[in-house]
Amino acid sequence: MFTINRENLKRSHQLTWFVIDFVMLGLLIINLVLIIFDSIYSFAGIQDYFQRSMPGFYEVYQPVHRNFILYDLVFVSIFLTEFMVRWAYAVKAGVYARWYFYPFIHWYDLLGCIPTSGMRFLRVLRVISIIYRLHRYGIIDITQTRLFQFVAFYYDAFMEELTDQIVLKVLNGLQYEIKRGSPVVHQVQHGIIYPRRDLLTGWLSDRVADLASEGYVPNRDALRDYLENRINEAIRQNPEISRLKLLPIFGNQVRGTLEEAVGDITSNVIDQVMNDLASSRNHDFIADVVEVLMPAPQAAAAGSPGVTGRPGVESTGPAQVPHRQDNEILLKLMLEIIDVVKEQVRHKRWRERL
């Protein structure tokens, strides 16, 4: 069962109404229990059982059963009185824009007071509304009750199973459409990827700059030493350069100078390239790479079957192979991405909780 937060109850400044809520909640529960019991008692077999096994109870309850509607009217009178009091308070406090809104908004309270079997169980909605109101104001916390946790767990499990099946069906249908030759690949290329090439270029530019600055700059000296050692080793093993030692007097000096010069030039070139990649100057280079990898639709159309760079000249068959290969690669990539999403959807989180 839930516990009552007395501090929130005191700070709410609605102590009287919450006390009324608790009283009405108790009366509603008692009334619903009596309604359920009397409905079960209506069966002749149940009455015969009580008559044989519990004759004292049978003699006491039989008059109540025959006149149950009169006893129920006692509860109904209390519920209607409380309903009218709350309606009058809502009108006085201006809770709603019009005075007649209250009975329409709380229709279940009003209809539940009708003493017929079909309307009586609307009082369950009144119980739920009172509990929700108390929970909303922090007077009680229904989320900590075992009943709420039980219902919430199986509700989440049911909704997860239901939504997973719907998502899997949608993804299977999407895969089928892609394999069948749906224009979705063309739409992804021309409607999603191409219009966002600038965003992709900016993102790649930032990533390359971060990679160059974080990976190269801290290891610049170690990389320079490594390159110089590799270059010196390659020069020593080169037979043409080794012949420089045969030069009289200056042979070894020329060879050593050449090793230093080549190593220094190579290291400086690599250092300049990495510094450029680590700065904002890499944007034009990345843009050129993206342009080659994902040409604009006009450029792609120029390389499509039947069109060449020169107007009026039909292209040969092999000219369309790269374009077809690009589509096949993109199609395969999309199918694999959908497979990964399907595997994630099939993962049942509620089973882990269980």
Side-chain angles (χ1 to χ4, degrees):
M1 290 296 293
F2 48 76
T3 57
I4 300 175
N5 191 321
R6 293 182 176 84
E7 295 297 326
N8 289 343
L9 185 62
K10 294 177 182 178
R11 290 196 299 264
S12 64
H13 304 295
Q14 295 185 355
L15 180 60
T16 303
W17 292 113
F18 286 135
V19 170
I20 294 175
D21 280 336
F22 280 113
V23 173
M24 298 304 298
L25 184 62
L27 290 175
L28 283 165
I29 292 174
I30 294 172
N31 182 237
L32 289 171
V33 169
L34 289 174
I35 291 172
I36 294 172
F37 178 79
D38 191 73
S39 299
I40 297 173
Y41 188 84
S42 299
F43 294 101
I46 300 296
Q47 295 183 28
D48 293 340
Y49 169 78
F50 280 110
Q51 188 175 10
R52 291 193 308 269
S53 303
M54 304 174 64
F57 176 81
Y58 176 80
E59 295 295 333
V60 173
Y61 190 77
Q62 191 63 22
V64 176
H65 175 67
R66 286 195 300 265
N67 302 288
F68 185 78
I69 190 171
L70 297 178
Y71 292 93
D72 188 56
L73 285 175
V74 175
F75 289 96
V76 169
S77 62
I78 297 174
F79 299 154
L80 279 177
T81 301
E82 188 259 352
F83 180 85
M84 298 303 294
V85 170
R86 285 188 179 274
W87 188 2
Y89 173 78
V91 173
K92 180 180 179 181
V95 177
Y96 302 107
R98 296 290 184 271
W99 65 269
Y100 50 84
F101 280 7
Y102 186 87
F104 289 100
I105 295 175
H106 298 269
W107 58 269
Y108 48 87
D109 289 352
L110 192 59
L111 294 180
C113 292
I114 300 176
T116 60
S117 58
M119 296 297 183
R120 286 171 179 166
F121 284 97
L122 286 176
R123 298 170 195 178
V124 175
L125 297 178
R126 192 172 192 181
V127 173
I128 296 174
S129 68
I130 293 175
I131 292 176
Y132 173 74
R133 183 162 58 245
L134 294 173
H135 174 77
R136 185 181 62 185
Y137 282 95
I139 309 303
I140 60 176
D141 186 6
I142 61 175
T143 60
Q144 302 302 317
T145 61
R146 291 185 178 181
L147 177 61
F148 179 87
Q149 294 174 355
F150 176 83
V151 173
F153 172 79
Y154 284 101
Y155 173 78
D156 291 340
F158 170 75
M159 293 303 297
E160 184 176 355
E161 290 289 342
L162 180 62
T163 54
D164 285 355
Q165 294 303 317
I166 296 174
V167 172
L168 287 174
K169 187 173 181 61
V170 172
L171 293 177
N172 288 330
L174 180 59
Q175 283 185 317
Y176 174 76
E177 292 294 331
I178 293 175
K179 293 177 181 178
R180 198 182 63 173
S182 171
V184 66
V185 177
H186 182 272
Q187 293 172 357
V188 169
Q189 286 179 323
H190 296 80
I192 298 177
I193 296 179
Y194 293 143
R196 291 167 176 80
R197 285 187 308 161
D198 293 339
L199 295 176
L200 181 61
T201 300
W203 179 80
L204 286 176
S205 176
D206 294 338
R207 294 300 300 161
V208 170
D210 293 340
L211 180 63
S213 60
E214 296 175 5
Y216 169 72
V217 175
N219 302 301
R220 177 183 299 169
D221 295 335
L223 181 61
R224 185 184 184 91
D225 294 339
Y226 173 80
L227 289 174
E228 289 179 351
N229 292 332
R230 294 297 92 198
I231 291 172
N232 292 339
E233 184 66 24
I235 290 176
R236 293 190 188 99
Q237 294 178 359
N238 186 276
E240 285 76 11
I241 297 179
S242 298
R243 295 193 186 98
L244 293 175
K245 294 191 302 183
L246 301 178
L247 293 175
I249 303 174
F250 299 107
N252 289 330
Q253 184 176 359
V254 171
R255 178 182 172 182
T257 303
L258 183 62
E259 290 178 356
E260 293 179 1
V262 173
D264 189 61
I265 291 172
T266 304
S267 299
N268 287 335
V269 169
I270 293 177
D271 184 69
Q272 185 61 45
V273 170
M274 298 304 295
N275 286 331
D276 289 341
L277 290 177
S279 67
S280 59
R281 293 190 297 273
N282 72 353
H283 188 274
D284 294 337
F285 169 73
I286 299 298
D288 293 338
V289 173
V290 172
E291 179 66 28
V292 173
L293 294 176
M294 293 184 297
Q298 293 80 6
S304 61
V307 181
T308 62
R310 290 179 297 172
V313 180
E314 293 187 356
S315 66
T316 59
Q320 62 184 347
V321 173
H323 182 64
R324 184 187 300 118
Q325 289 179 345
D326 291 343
N327 285 342
E328 292 176 353
I329 292 173
L330 180 59
L331 186 147
K332 184 178 179 181
L333 178 62
M334 293 177 63
L335 293 177
E336 291 178 354
I337 291 174
I338 294 175
D339 284 333
V340 172
V341 175
K342 287 166 63 177
E343 288 299 323
Q344 183 63 31
V345 170
R346 290 192 184 100
H347 181 68
K348 307 300 181 184
R349 292 188 297 273
W350 68 267
R351 291 180 181 176
E352 295 180 351
R353 293 168 55 191
L354 184 62

